[in-house]
Structures are given as C-alpha cells and as structure tokens.
Amino acid sequence: MVSRTIPVDPFDLVIFGGTGDLARRKILPSLYRRFLAGQMPEESRIIGAARTEISVEEYRAMARDSITEFVPSSKRDAASLTAFIDHLRYVAIDATGTQGWQELREEMREGMVHAFYFSVAPSLFGAIAERLHEHGIADGNSRIVVEKPFGKDLKTARALNATLAEHFTEQQIYRIDHYLGKETVQNLMAIRFANILFEPLWKTEYIDHVQITVAETVAVDGRGAYYDTSGAMRDMVQNHLMQLLCLIAMEPPYHFDPDAVRDEKLKVIRALEPVRPEDIVRGQYAPKNGKAGYRDDAGNPDSRTESYIALKVGIANWRWKGTPFYLRTGKRLRARTSEIAIYFRRPPHSIFDDPEGGRENVLVIRLQPNEGINLKVMIKEPGPGGMRLTQVPLDMSFAQALGPDGSDIPDAYERLIMDVIRGNQTLFMRGDEVEAAWAWADPIIEGWETRQERPHAYEPGTSGPEDALMLLHRDGRRWREIKE
Ligand code: NAP
C-alpha cells in the first residue's frame, strides 16, 4: 500500500530550543523524513534558535549527528542528508533578552508559512510570544507550536492560555499531544466513523468496559527532580490518556473538522464523573537488583509522587453511563506498551454446550509497539470434533499493511509538524479542552494531597501494585496482561 505524499506550502519554521533534546531526538529527524518523502518544498527553511553562540555550520553538524543517531541507517542516505542540512539556519537568541531578534526577523521571508515551535520550558512561552510581536516577526497568519506540559493545574494552564492569547488567536496556537499524531489513534476515528460495523455497538448496552494502558519500562532517569513535581497523573493521565479516552467516548462530529472534533472531545471531558478515592491506586517503583527505587531517582526520600497510577473513570452521559473506563500508566513496568482494549459484553444467551460459548469480543487498538488493531472473535474450532468454540484474533497490523518492517509509518511528530504547516488543528488540543482536563484532574490530585496519601511500593518489572489488580477484581474483571 503506497500512501500519497502531498507537499505542503513552503515554510520558514523557527525552532526555539533548536539545540535541545526534543529538537535533536524528534523535531529534526521528523523534518528530515518528511523531506525525504518529498513533502517539504525546496524553498523551505528550518531556523534553529537558542542562546548558545554557534555558527550555522556548527548547527548543521549538530543536526547531521542527531539525524544520524535517531533515523535508522536504512531510512537515510548521505546525499539527501546533505541536501536537507542545506535548509537549516541558526540564530543565537535569548528568549528573555534583546539579543538575536533583529537577526531572526531578517531570516523570515515573505510569502512563506511562518511557524514558531516553542521547544523550550513553558516559563519562556510568554517572553517569546511577546518578543515575536514586539519585533514584528509574527503576525496574524503565523502559527506557534507549544509542547507539554501545558500547566500543572487549572490555574497555571489558564495563565498560560491567557499569556499566549495576548499575542495569538486560538487558531494560531497548536498545543502538541504527540499521542494524537499516532497512526493508530487516527485509525480509531476511521474505524469508528468510516464503518457502520462498530458504531451501533459503541455504547454501554454493548460495551462492558474499556481499558487504556500506557506502560513504560524506563525509570525517571535524569528527569527525577522535574518528575517529582509532576507524577503520572499530571505527566500522562491529564493529557495523553485523557485524549485517548475522548477519542473512544466522543460522539460522531458533524464533520472531520478541527473545531467539530474538539467540541465533541470537550463534551466528554465535561461529562467525566468525579473519581472516588477508592477508585484510584497510586504506586512508586521500589529498588531492585542494585537499581534505585523511585524515591532515590527523584532525589526525595520522602516523596509522595506517583510513578504509577490506575483509576476507574465514569462518564455521565446516555452513551456511557454504566461502562467504566479503567486507565493505568506507570514506569518500570513489565513491558513497554500502549493500548486501548474495548471489552464488549457477552452474548445474552449461549446456544452452545461449550464453556467458551459466551466469551466477550475484545477490540484491541495497539499504539506501540507494532501499531495495529486486533479483534478477538469466537469461531468454531477447526476439525470434526463437534461444535467446539475457540477465540481467535482478527489481526490488522499496520506494519504488515504499510511496509516490511513497519518503519514506513510516519512518526507522530512528522504528521503533526506537517499539520501545523497545513494549518490543520484537528490533532491539537484546544485551550478549553486543556483547561477542562485540569478542572477534572485538580480535585483528584488535591484529594490525595490533603489526605497525605502515600503511593504503594511496587516491584519493578511487574504490572504495578497489587492493589491495582483489585481495582478490577472487585468488579469481576481483569486487566489485560502487560506485554509487548
Ligand atoms: P532541553 O534539552 O533542556 O532544551 C532546552 C532548549 O531551550 C535548548 O535548546 C536551550 O538552548 C534552549 N533555551 C533555554 N533557555 C533559553 C532561553 N532563555 N532563550 C532561548 N533558548 C533557550 O529541553 P527539551 O527536552 O528539548 O524540552 C523542550 C520542551 O519540550 C520542554 O517544554 C519539555 O517539557 C518539552 N518536551 C520535551 C520532550 C522530550 O522528549 N525531550 C517530550 C515532551 C515535551 P540554550 O541553553 O543554548 O539556550
């Protein structure tokens, strides 16, 4: 299956924080891959901006090294890399000072799409937005891209939205949640809204429950001090898992249009029920085999921040009342996997004398690794042994459909950056969505802070604290196994 590549309009893309980790690991490699795919027009330029005084040549050398490190050798070649590198510029600029702004202004050309990627700490967003305007670099057609974290609670998110709104309209602001750029996540919308098959069943009468799992094997290495001020709820649930929940639970939008889609997601967030303390399990990974535990990694022996959370969430509307959504995410777990599993109800009556006759169908949407969709259905066991039933997966792995090793699936950042240039906000969070998600998360966080609750210790390499198993057991359900 060959996908069509339609070039975007020529652009000048400025990356504030162009020498940082995100630029080196994700943004520059993604742009190179789009260049290779023929999507980046020849006239386009990428302008790195950071305080460090380096020459354009030094910046290009850094970008070359990053791409060599983060793009597999089978997916790059020296000639195209040199051609891509020619599109790079660099301006030494201080977000909070006066240095470099005039130079940046001179780099921007008329007739290009102007996009500014704020790949810096959120505390610098306001200063950059202000200076872009003060120096006449950004105008009403420019776009800005902002990274997570978008606030640490409702108050800070509101303040951030207000700061950006001083200089940019909502239509100019692209708040990245890279989960929304994943192929499978968009396929979730295609599966739901481009087929008649599932939608009639997509409600509490037919769906027993939903499980959303984002499991990581890594610790908080190197980010411990920052992570300890955040935790799994703020770092993962309020944004990534919430966005996945919205895409599963939302009503069909009237059109695949940015505001129509985001209006529907917002309604889901507003319909979320408050979460009861007994429906939340928080954990911290313990030390094991000489490897530090969470508290050591965080440098805070008394830390009450969670590196794992599981919670049961209800949605108070006609479609979902009575169907719990179980969310869980954590670090140092058994395997690295992100998936959504939709458990349909069992048939109301089994006509087969077979213990397997009444098993539920499960639709599993895998985000990583091996993006794909898999539907478990009951069939007759082959052979003459009577009417015995067995459950088999109908597997649609995108890796098989789209390329020999799946590496032809664009990275989420590739798609999202191209969407910014196209001016398509569908896969970006709107300001009111982010605020609504914080308005839901804040009382939950305040609750455990007021009660001074301590997370349960869990053994690294497992599926998390024992109590998280109980969260489902007590409802007569079971978590799916965490495996790659
Ligand atoms: P980083 O490695 O610390 O890089 C920060 C960048 O900002 C550097 O290029 C730095 O260069 C520049 N910078 C710092 N102060 C500046 C100033 N006053 N004026 C101009 N430039 C300045 O951070 P990062 O990991 O790339 O993260 C960037 C943003 O993306 C953060 O908001 C982070 O939360 C978010 N994010 C990162 C990741 C990731 O995987 N890394 C994932 C999701 C979100 P100089 O020191 O030379 O100025």
Side-chain angles (χ1 to χ4, degrees), residues 17 19-22 25 50-52 93-95 119-120 147-149:
T19 55
D21 177 68
L22 186 68
R25 259 183 337 106
R51 286 169 306 182
T52 309
I93 214 162
D94 184 352
S119 182
V120 292
E147 269 292 342
K148 84 168 205 187

Side-chain angles (χ1 to χ4, degrees), residues 6-11 34-35 38-45 87 109 112 418 421:
I6 303 167
V8 294
D9 289 337
F11 58 85
R34 287 297 91 204
F35 174 78
Q39 205 164 19
M40 180 175 141
E42 263 309 308
E43 313 90 291
S44 304
R45 275 190 201 162
H87 293 262
R109 295 159 305 157
M112 301 283 147
M418 290 300 107
I421 307 299

